[in-house]
């Protein structure tokens, strides 16, 4: 009797101790669901389930409305008492279609997409596991809503709504990645991010300058990395993943490992990934102009033109990369959360492939043209406080230090002088974000931001025959760039059906650059910019029922001149050289969005967004003079002088549309379609198609999911651009395009068919396979320098614990 008594007491105390821990599982497989968002409607408090599907909801006591959401599952609204009646065990039904995906990071606050008058898409870690993207650029591309350009295999420059490069903003855990040397030409900084260490990715379409400041002109790509998970009981939470992957098109060999250790108040997560990519092989069926018939090889101190044994292999294009991440979390109470994160990424040296296919007088122009190792490092300390006081309900402070290193290494064919241009950037930022519910209808978000960049640039010329090094012209002037901002936004719940959202931001910028006149006779030795920009947004979300939503928004944005705009000296194209322009001012953008999403009978969802964007005072490259001269000798040849100037207007309009259909027996269909047209003003007053407005493109998918098996057959497609439709700037790049019957460059249309499957062998092991570009098409995505992979078989094995 005594023994039974103690057992009963122990069980009762255990129930009391653990009754505030909820466990969420899939209704069909009973597998625990990770990253389920649990939010109380009338407070800022929210939490997410860990890898075991568990979360501590002790702070939700007495809550009458707890919203439980997970992508791919039916949203539940339940009271705390009802959860208690279910013994805090909850089963979620697999997806019914909804207009309410969860948004966490793209707007810096936790809210639903129906509370934001802008289009936002989310790419979940679950999608990434099925698709197995090789890089973070490929991760963005699988959304079907972002077009990816690649100059080389170690590349990936997103295009969104007719904008790209330094008119798009990247953020990692809320910190801007853009630096003062982000250029107007295609960039590849996004590959520094690790898809395996990415918890969720969101893309915010349209100007986001009210939230993020400069560069958020066409959109914001927000990456949230793995968060250390706390234990919800007295046991240590141990979880992690180990992944091995192989792909045939580039002989990819990738390995990844992450581990999470969590206690009640402390947690840490460690992650490491190693990537090795060989030379990329193109497809069999397509334009012959893309074939790599010869390449340059250094033999006995001479550049030799070698016949390629397999002209579908793009030699040289291989590279390797390593990513490290370490995070530590301390949560002393429900009101405070401290986190530290360390990120490090480094690539090997890799070739800029589009330079290797340039010819001069019938011969390859370059003996070598490589990017040096691309290095990115970030240290981030964040503090979050929940407190219902007079100033805020939620406060977030983030202090970050980043380091970037990149270089360009080039040498003309049979020239002994190797030119190395090395850039280093130290970036510091401090962000303060506060949120306060004024009343049940009104919520205010406000804050401040300070960003500082220190740019150091050097040039080295090396005689490869003797090894002698001398100073060469630097790509940039040594510079400092600063941004100082105050901002506020307000969300007003006009009624249960209508929400109004408005925002305002003031930004002050400073740029100080010192020019070295040892190599070029600049008519100045320094340049200073000190300017301010005011930007705002206003939007409305109308939700007449739970089945459909309408949004309309107007927003302005801006991009202030950075060091790349002001002070770069480089060869933009054969026979042209770009020189500094110290008279630059900011460019401004004005955007109108209108979107509708509607669900029909829980099995069909349609959504579309139309938009128009005007870019005024645009910074574009135009003919220029230097000391009264319109041409100078650069890199040994007479080159036309150009400079970035506030010399044009541009406009982009387009349509983004999507459809989702839930079919019987676990089948489904979805499709994304993107149409955009852009024009920019030329020197003579005529207009040219915008360089960063790609052809119409999209993805259509047929999916199947049943218990432990998930499969997807999908088509990726892009329309053509004829010679007449190519931007004027692209018409001079015949070396990367197909040639039409009139001998002019053009970009052909293409379609690829693809298949992916993921099968859960056990609770710990998951096998993924894929066959991409099944028909082995040879194609080059618009404006890309490297040809896309041909038929590719991939296999991946994931062990979770």
């Amino acid at each position: 009797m005594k023994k039974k008594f103690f057992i009963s007491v122990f069980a009762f105390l255990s129930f009391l101790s653990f009754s505030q821990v909820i466990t969420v599982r899939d209704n069909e497989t009973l597998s625990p669901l990770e990253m389920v968002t649990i939010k109380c409607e009338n407070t800022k408090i929210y939490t997410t389930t860990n890898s075991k599907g568990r979360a501590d909801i002790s702070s939700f006591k007495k809550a009458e409305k707890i919203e439980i959401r997970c992508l791919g599952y039916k949203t539940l609204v339940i009271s705390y008492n009802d959860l208690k009646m279910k013994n805090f065990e909850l089963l979620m039904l697999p997806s019914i279609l909804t207009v309410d995906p969860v948004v966490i990071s793209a707007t810096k606050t936790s809210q639903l997409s129906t509370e934001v008058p802008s289009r936002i898409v989310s790419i979940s870690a679950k999608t990434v596991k099925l698709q197995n993207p090789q890089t973070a650029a490929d991760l963005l591309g699988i959304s079907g809503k972002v077009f990816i350009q690649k100059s080389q295999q170690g590349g990936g420059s997103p295009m969104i709504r007719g904008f790209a490069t330094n008119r798009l903003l990247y953020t990692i855990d809320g910190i801007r990645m853009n630096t003062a040397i982000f250029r107007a030409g295609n960039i590849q900084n996004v590959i520094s991010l690790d898809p395996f260490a990415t918890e969720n990715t969101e893309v915010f379409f349209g100007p986001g300058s009210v939230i993020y400041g400069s560069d958020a002109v066409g959109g914001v790509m927000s990456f949230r990395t793995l968060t250390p998970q706390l234990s919800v009981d007295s046991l240590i939470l141990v979880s992690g993943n180990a992944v091995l992957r192989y792909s045939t098109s580039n002989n990819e060999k990738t390995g990844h490992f992450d581990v999470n250790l969590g206690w009640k108040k402390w947690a840490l997560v460690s992650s490491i990934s190693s990537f090795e990519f060989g030379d990329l092989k193109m497809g069999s069926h397509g334009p012959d102009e893309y074939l790599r018939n010869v390449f340059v090889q250094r033999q006995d101190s001479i550049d030799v033109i070698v016949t390629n044994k397999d002209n579908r292999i793009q030699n040289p294009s291989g590279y390797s990369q390593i990513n490290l991440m370490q995070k530590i979390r301390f949560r002393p109470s429900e009101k405070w959360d401290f986190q530290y994160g360390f990120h490090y990424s480094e690539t090997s040296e890799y070739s800029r492939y589009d330079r290797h296919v340039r010819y001069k007088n019938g011969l390859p122009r370059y003996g070598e043209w490589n990017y040096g190792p691309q290095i990115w490092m970030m240290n981030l300390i964040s503090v979050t406080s929940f407190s219902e006081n007079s100033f805020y309900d939620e406060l977030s402070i983030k202090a970050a230090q980043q380091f970037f290193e990149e270089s360009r290494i080039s040498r003309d064919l049979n020239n002994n002088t190797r030119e190395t241009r090395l850039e280093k950037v130290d970036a510091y930022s401090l962000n303060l974000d506060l949120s306060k519910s004024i009343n049940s209808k009104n919520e205010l978000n406000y804050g401040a931001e300070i960003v500082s960049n220190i740019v150091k640039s050097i040039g080295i010329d090396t005689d490869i025959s003797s090894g002698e090094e001398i100073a060469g012209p630097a790509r940039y002037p040594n510079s400092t760039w600063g941004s100082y901002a105050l901002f506020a936004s307000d969300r007003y719940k006009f009624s249960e059906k209508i929400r109004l959202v408005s925002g305002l931001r003031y930004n002050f910028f400073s740029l100080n650059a010192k020019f070295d006149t040892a190599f070029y006779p600049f008519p100045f030795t320094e340049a200073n910019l000190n300017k301010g920009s005011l930007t705002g947004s206003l939007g409305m979300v109308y939700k007449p029922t739970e089945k459909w939503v309408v949004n309309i928004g107007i927003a302005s944005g801006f991009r202030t001149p950075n060091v790349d705009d002001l002070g770069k000296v480089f060869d933009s194209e054969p026979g042209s050289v770009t020189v500094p322009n110290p008279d630059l001012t900011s460019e401004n953008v004005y955007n109108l969005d209108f979107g509708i999403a509607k669900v029909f009978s829980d099995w069909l969802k349609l959504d579309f967004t139309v938009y128009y964007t005007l870019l005024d005072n645009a910074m574009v490259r135009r003919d220029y003079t230097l000391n009264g001269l319109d041409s100078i000798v650069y890199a040994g040849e007479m080159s036309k002088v150009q400079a970035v100037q506030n010399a044009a207007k541009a406009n982009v309009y387009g349509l983004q549309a999507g459809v989702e259909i839930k079919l019987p027996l676990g089948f489904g269909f979805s499709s994304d379609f993107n149409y955009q047209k852009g024009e920019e003003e030329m020197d003579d007053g005529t207009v040219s198609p915008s360089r960063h407005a790609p052809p119409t493109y999209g993805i259509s998918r047929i999916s199947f999911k049943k218990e432990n098996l998930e499969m997807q057959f999908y088509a990726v497609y892009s329309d053509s651009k004829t010679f007449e439709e190519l931007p004027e700037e692209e018409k001079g790049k015949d070396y990367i395009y197909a040639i039409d019957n009139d001998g002019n460059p053009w970009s052909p249309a293409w379609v690829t068919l693809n298949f992916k499957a993921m099968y859960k062998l056990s609770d710990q092991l998951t096998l993924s396979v894929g066959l991409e570009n099944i028909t082995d098409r040879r194609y080059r995505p618009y404006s890309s320098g490297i040809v896309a992979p041909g038929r590719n078989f991939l296999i991946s094995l994931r062990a979770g614990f």
Side-chain angles (χ1 to χ4, degrees), residues 362-485:
L363 296 174
R365 176 174 176 178
Y366 295 102
E368 56 182 296
W369 210 117
N370 300 320
Y371 285 110
Q374 178 173 293
I375 299 174
W376 170 65
M377 181 186 72
M378 180 169 77
N379 289 280
L380 169 62
I381 296 175
S382 64
V383 179
T384 304
S385 171
F386 298 94
S387 177
E388 295 182 5
N389 56 45
S390 301
F391 298 100
Y392 68 86
D393 298 326
E394 180 180 354
L395 173 147
S396 173
I397 300 173
K398 295 184 177 182
Q401 175 266 332
Q402 297 182 80
F403 172 77
F404 301 82
E405 180 179 312
E406 59 185 55
S407 58
R408 293 156 180 81
I409 306 163
S410 63
R411 182 179 58 80
D412 286 348
L413 186 71
N414 283 319
N415 188 321
N416 285 337
T417 301
R418 176 189 291 135
E419 299 175 350
T420 301
R421 305 295 179 255
L422 174 66
E423 286 76 51
K424 297 181 179 181
V425 180
D426 288 293
Y428 305 90
S429 60
L430 180 64
N431 294 77
L432 173 65
D433 293 277
L434 304 99
S435 178
K436 177 64 182 176
S437 293
I438 307 301
N439 50 49
S440 60
K441 292 188 174 183
N442 205 13
E443 181 178 314
L444 177 66
N445 298 281
Y446 63 104
E449 179 187 64
I450 299 174
V451 180
S452 176
N453 283 193
I454 301 171
V455 178
K456 296 179 180 178
S457 182
I458 62 173
I460 302 170
D461 291 344
T462 305
D463 187 328
I464 62 173
S465 63
S466 64
E468 180 184 358
E469 292 185 353
I470 61 173
R475 181 177 171 88
Y476 299 114
N478 289 333
S479 314
T480 58
W481 179 90
S483 166
Y484 315 91

Side-chain angles (χ1 to χ4, degrees), residues 48 88 209 215 355 397 450 464 471 474 479 594 625 687 739 773:
T48 57
F88 300 99
S209 290
D215 302 358
R355 291 294 196 258
I397 300 173
I450 299 174
I464 62 173
S479 314
F594 175 76
T625 59
V687 295
I739 303 301
N773 193 1

Side-chain angles (χ1 to χ4, degrees), residues 60-256:
F60 291 78
K61 286 182 177 179
K62 299 182 180 179
E64 292 297 325
K65 248 186 180 181
I66 300 174
E67 295 178 350
I68 301 173
R69 298 177 180 271
C70 183
L71 285 175
Y73 290 85
K74 181 179 179 180
T75 297
L76 298 175
V77 180
I78 192 170
S79 70
Y80 184 88
N81 286 334
D82 287 340
L83 281 175
K84 188 175 181 180
M85 294 292 292
K86 294 177 178 289
N87 292 324
F88 300 99
E89 294 279 345
L90 202 60
L91 299 177
M92 296 192 75
L93 292 170
S95 183
I96 66 164
L97 299 179
T98 175
V99 295
D100 281 338
V102 177
V103 176
I104 296 292
S105 56
T107 57
K108 288 193 176 182
T109 57
S110 173
Q111 54 187 306
L112 304 178
S113 63
T114 49
E115 298 175 351
V116 182
S118 300
R119 187 178 179 91
I120 298 175
V121 300
S122 180
I123 307 169
S124 67
K126 187 177 180 181
T127 300
V128 173
K129 288 177 183 177
L130 173 65
Q131 293 295 332
N132 274 292
Q134 292 189 347
T135 69
D138 298 331
L139 185 157
L140 291 166
I142 65 177
S143 68
K145 302 174 180 68
V146 179
F147 190 90
I148 303 297
Q149 181 277 351
K150 292 186 179 183
S151 296
Q152 62 281 327
Q153 186 175 197
S157 189
M159 296 184 183
I160 297 176
R161 290 191 174 186
F163 295 99
T165 62
N166 55 16
R167 291 180 180 142
L168 299 176
L169 187 73
Y170 304 85
T171 71
I172 298 88
D173 293 335
I175 302 299
R176 61 181 291 135
M177 190 185 201
N178 293 41
T179 70
I181 63 170
F182 264 42
R183 56 189 181 272
N186 297 309
I187 60 176
Q188 60 270 0
N189 299 74
V190 72
I191 70 169
S192 292
L193 306 180
D194 183 359
F196 291 108
T198 302
E199 198 168 74
N200 192 55
T201 304
E202 291 162 3
V203 183
F204 180 104
F205 294 91
S209 290
V210 168
I211 303 171
Y212 289 105
S214 180
D215 302 358
V217 172
V220 178
M221 291 155 284
S222 177
F223 297 84
R224 188 171 77 248
T225 60
L226 297 175
T227 301
Q229 297 178 353
L230 298 165
S231 175
V232 295
D233 51 36
S234 59
L235 300 176
I236 298 176
L237 173 65
V238 181
S239 61
N241 297 278
V243 182
L244 292 175
R245 186 174 65 208
Y246 176 77
S247 300
T248 59
S249 65
N250 56 0
N251 198 27
E252 178 209 11
K253 294 181 283 290
T254 288
H256 166 79

Side-chain angles (χ1 to χ4, degrees), residues 520-531:
Y520 301 108
F522 298 133
F524 43 79
T525 57
E526 64 178 74
N528 298 285
L529 293 179
N530 294 280
K531 298 181 181 294

Side-chain angles (χ1 to χ4, degrees), residues 192 320-324 344-348 373-376:
S192 292
S320 61
Q321 179 172 328
I322 188 168
N323 283 74
L324 304 172
Y344 182 83
S345 173
E346 182 174 355
T347 70
S348 65
Q374 178 173 293
I375 299 174
W376 170 65

Side-chain angles (χ1 to χ4, degrees), residues 708-756:
N708 294 328
L709 176 64
E710 185 172 355
M711 298 188 295
Q712 190 175 101
F713 178 77
Y714 61 100
V716 185
Y717 40 87
S718 173
D719 200 0
S720 63
K721 271 189 182 287
T722 64
F723 175 73
E724 291 75 21
E725 293 171 327
L726 282 179
E728 291 300 317
E729 188 174 348
E730 294 295 297
K731 289 180 179 179
K733 302 176 182 177
D734 56 354
Y735 50 91
I736 65 171
Y737 286 103
I739 303 301
D740 65 19
N741 293 332
D742 296 322
N744 294 319
W746 74 299
S747 180
W750 51 267
V751 179
T752 66
L753 302 178
N754 313 268
F755 173 78
K756 297 287 175 63

